[in-house]
Amino acid sequence: MAALKKIQKPNGEEPDELETSVVQEMHNLEIAGDLKAELKDLYILSAREIEIGGGKKSIIIFVPFGLLKSYHKCQARLVRELEKKFSGRHVMIIAQRTILGKNYNRSTKNKGPRPRSRTLTHVHDAILEDLVYPTEIVGKRTRCKMDGSKVLKVLLDPKDQVTVETKLDTFSYVYKKLTNKEVIFEFPVSEA
């Protein structure tokens, strides 16, 4: 099946039913000609379905970090088409990243400290950026409550408010599921 070339699982694992349906729809979009040039060399690593409150579901597609820029070129159209196919589900594309622990030791071939792009904080910030793409994050606030818990408030670009407003709860649930951190998405109040 030609569509299965669109997924590359580690260690030769077989794709599950959701992953198979996602790559089949991507393959169909490529064949239809709408996104043929953009989707030609793109593939995914995995796909997960996350249960969101109210019986809604969301699909997260994990892609290789190296292909993320290529996905960004066609992400708006690809997500729109996939959301049509998987009716009632929001689709998000996130890059697969690696987190290295604090006690990471380089081999003798690779000297130096662990790269900043592999730290927990940087990876979580990058997941946040991927989650809301193509909307830009214009501000972040960390609110520390009296009981010691922290809530991250993320301010999104108000020019995308119409298109993104319905997805704000989905963004919060997915980010909580992936990073185990509470986050609230808002739009800055413009003073007229």
Side-chain angles (χ1 to χ4, degrees), residues 128-129 131-141 153-166 168 171 184-190:
L128 195 60
E129 294 278 344
L131 203 57
V132 300
Y133 188 86
T135 305
E136 289 185 22
I137 295 174
V138 294
K140 291 182 194 172
R141 309 281 184 272
K153 284 188 175 183
V154 176
L155 303 174
L156 300 176
D157 196 349
K159 70 179 169 110
D160 297 322
Q161 186 167 357
V162 176
T163 56
V164 178
E165 202 159 26
T166 58
L168 295 182
F171 291 160
I184 298 171
F185 292 93
E186 297 175 343
F187 293 98
V189 178
S190 59

Side-chain angles (χ1 to χ4, degrees), residues 97-99 117-128:
R97 291 182 169 85
T98 305
I99 299 174
S117 64
R118 305 289 194 282
T119 62
L120 178 83
T121 306
H122 188 276
V123 170
H124 284 188
D125 286 345
I127 288 173
L128 195 60

